[in-house]
Amino acid sequence: MQRPYVIDEMISAKTIAARVEELCREIHDEFNGTDKLIVVGLLRGSFVFIADLVRELDLPVEVDFLEASSYGDGMESSREVRILKDLRGAIEGRDVLVVEDIVDTGFTLSHVIGLLKSRGPARMKSIALLDKPTRREVPIKADWTGFEILDEFVVGYGIDYAQRNRNLGFIGKVRFTD
Ligand code: IMP
């Protein structure tokens, strides 16, 4: 049984869109001139963010996805990262931008970056929509971060709680009401 909860809006759809635009200007400056960029989304939480990012990015780009396990259906990181779905294509010699929804303990992003680096990309950068720096257990920071947030459980804009609420246009905080 799920505990009853409400969702309090924390970051509006408008604020997210403005930040995505800003981030894309910086990503564009970093990758301008390349025709070998591949944007790798970490499923499932990054699917909305990556859709907005690539549409805002005026560069030739390929998209691929990778799924790593971390939270399951709960609210705590398992700390043990498993690859549930690997990339379809090779990334050797490519410019890679890894897109994560939230960097929490840091286990997922550091594991994925380590794995992808071992495949010999030419350049490797990462971006996270949200960062919870106070939760970090592995010293890693994405090259770009949308918003830093406190230690709160959030949903929306692709991010779930027990697979629900990914379809919200804003990012909200889960508040239990029992
Ligand atoms: P990490 O390995 O602890 O950094 O976990 C990162 C992953 O945990 C993210 O990609 C999310 O899938 C999940 N996660 C972390 N915080 C939250 C949250 O507040 N809401 C939903 N999922 C979260």
Side-chain angles (χ1 to χ4, degrees):
M1 260 289 280
Q2 285 259 308
R3 290 170 65 191
Y5 64 92
V6 294
I7 296 165
D8 300 323
E9 181 168 316
M10 207 171 98
I11 308 173
S12 71
K14 208 172 147 190
T15 304
I16 299 169
R19 185 69 184 126
V20 168
E21 230 183 279
E22 263 173 24
L23 290 165
C24 281
R25 276 199 291 274
E26 293 179 26
I27 295 168
H28 187 276
D29 288 350
E30 170 68 33
F31 290 106
N32 198 12
T34 182
D35 64 351
K36 52 183 186 180
L37 176 60
I38 175 153
V39 178
V40 170
L42 301 197
L43 291 171
R44 284 168 257 177
S46 74
F47 80 102
V48 176
F49 185 37
I50 199 173
D52 282 350
L53 272 182
V54 295
R55 286 180 298 170
E56 192 63 40
L57 206 55
D58 187 19
L59 289 173
V61 65
E62 287 176 33
V63 177
D64 204 343
F65 291 97
L66 187 142
E67 185 171 12
S69 70
S70 58
Y71 265 45
D73 277 352
M75 293 177 95
E76 264 303 311
S77 169
S78 62
R79 287 171 182 78
E80 188 195 314
V81 184
R82 284 177 307 130
I83 301 300
L84 302 178
K85 182 205 167 296
D86 206 339
L87 300 176
R88 284 292 290 274
I91 55 165
E92 192 178 352
R94 305 291 300 266
D95 289 329
V96 176
L97 175 65
V98 175
V99 182
E100 169 71 305
D101 57 350
I102 308 180
V103 185
D104 185 47
T105 61
F107 279 100
T108 307
L109 188 62
S110 74
H111 180 90
V112 167
I113 284 180
L115 174 73
L116 297 186
K117 271 191 175 157
S118 74
R119 297 180 182 177
R123 182 169 22 170
M124 173 101 152
K125 296 280 175 189
S126 57
I127 180 167
L129 175 66
L130 301 173
D131 189 353
K132 299 184 191 173
T134 62
R135 295 261 310 159
R136 199 71 87 256
E137 293 179 27
V138 179
I140 187 157
K141 188 158 174 58
D143 295 292
W144 293 280
T145 296
F147 306 92
E148 281 196 0
I149 60 170
L150 297 172
D151 179 10
E152 280 155 339
F153 199 83
V154 295
V155 292
Y157 196 71
I159 300 162
D160 74 305
Y161 171 42
Q163 301 307 328
R164 297 288 172 86
N165 306 300
R166 294 189 195 274
N167 54 325
L168 297 174
F170 59 88
I171 291 165
K173 200 163 38 176
V174 171
R175 179 161 54 85
F176 291 100
T177 52
D178 56 358

